[in-house]
Amino acid sequence: PDLAEIVGENCIIPIEGVDSDVFQMILRFIYGGELPAKNSIKYNARAIVSAANRFGCTGLKLAAEAEVATAGITTENAADVILFADATNCAMLKEAAMEYFVENAQEVMVINGFVEVAKS
């Protein structure tokens, strides 16, 4: 039996912690190989990375990870990007953020978020 037969066609199955638009992007990627539009990835990049990491959608995760990396790592967000990349297993993003950190260490170390990076 398929899921619709088990729960009924009009049953709503909540999936916690994922925006419905992002989940729809994941389903379209899994079942149709469709990458979201560039603007959709740009606007939802971090949410896509988190959800794709959770559901094992490597190709979609890499596309969104690249968008986060190219959106710009700054002194203000470098520590946050490192922590996010570490939490979501984004090697490429973490490497980009660490390179930025090394090049701008003095400026990044005075930002509040750096304390969290030092702890991890």
Side-chain angles (χ1 to χ4, degrees):
D2 62 13
L3 184 59
E5 290 173 357
I6 295 170
V7 298
E9 290 184 28
N10 296 323
C11 180
I12 296 174
I13 300 172
I15 299 177
E16 302 293 326
V18 180
D19 179 74
S20 62
D21 291 337
V22 171
F23 193 69
Q24 185 175 20
M25 290 177 207
I26 287 175
L27 291 176
R28 288 179 181 267
F29 180 78
I30 291 171
Y31 292 107
E34 177 184 325
L35 277 174
K38 189 80 168 161
N39 283 344
S40 293
I41 293 177
K42 184 176 184 177
Y43 181 73
N44 297 297
R46 284 189 177 213
I48 293 169
V49 167
S50 295
N53 185 58
R54 177 178 169 189
F55 297 110
C57 300
T58 307
L60 181 58
K61 178 181 169 182
L62 288 172
E65 179 182 356
E67 182 58 43
V68 174
T70 59
I73 299 169
T74 65
T75 302
E76 291 76 26
N77 73 6
D80 183 50
V81 171
I82 291 169
L83 292 171
F84 176 75
D86 191 47
T88 54
N89 303 306
C90 295
M92 175 182 66
L93 181 59
K94 188 173 182 179
E95 182 178 339
M98 291 299 287
E99 284 178 15
Y100 182 89
F101 175 80
V102 168
E103 293 170 5
N104 303 282
Q106 295 301 318
E107 294 86 8
V108 174
M109 287 173 35
V110 298
I111 300 297
N112 290 337
F114 176 71
V115 175
E116 295 300 318
V117 173
K119 287 180 185 177
S120 70

